[in-house]
Amino acid sequence: MVNASTNYYRNNRNTKKVIHCCPHCDYTTTNARIQLINHINAKHVEEKNRPYQCSHCDRRFAQKAHLSSHLQVVHNICQRVLKV
């Protein structure tokens, strides 16, 4: 079963009713707004200002998944995701 928001984004890719545009470059997306936020954090925000910081070194990341990968590869730390 596909939820309503998934159907919305699938339909929006075809109809292009809602297009999120980057204010810094020509990037556009018809996916969720978080895609645009991730793009801005990754491409247009200096590393020192990114939201996810490694507690073992000075690296910062635009997405939590990238921080988790960094922790596993560089620091050999496996993080478990707890679902509530």
Side-chain angles (χ1 to χ4, degrees), residues 21-28 39 43-44:
C21 301
C22 178
H24 306 286
C25 68
D26 293 336
Y27 176 82
T28 60
H39 162 79
K43 303 294 182 185
H44 304 294

Side-chain angles (χ1 to χ4, degrees), residues 1-83:
M1 182 176 150
V2 177
N3 66 26
S5 71
T6 302
N7 282 333
Y8 168 80
Y9 290 114
R10 284 181 180 171
N11 289 334
N12 191 50
R13 279 187 215 137
N14 295 328
T15 61
K16 295 183 181 4
K17 287 183 180 178
V18 177
I19 299 174
H20 302 287
C21 301
C22 178
H24 306 286
C25 68
D26 293 336
Y27 176 82
T28 60
T29 183
T30 55
N31 286 328
R33 187 169 174 268
I34 192 66
Q35 290 293 120
L36 176 62
I37 293 169
N38 288 340
H39 162 79
I40 292 170
N41 283 334
K43 303 294 182 185
H44 304 294
V45 173
E46 291 185 41
E47 184 174 328
K48 65 181 182 180
N49 296 326
R50 292 181 183 160
Y52 299 100
Q53 181 176 9
C54 177
S55 57
H56 302 282
C57 66
D58 292 333
R59 294 287 314 269
R60 293 184 77 101
F61 300 90
Q63 296 180 35
K64 189 175 182 180
H66 295 162
L67 172 60
S68 295
S69 296
H70 165 80
L71 289 170
Q72 286 180 341
V73 172
V74 176
H75 302 295
N76 200 24
I77 298 170
C78 182
Q79 288 194 325
R80 292 181 12 193
V81 177
L82 300 176
K83 293 187 178 185

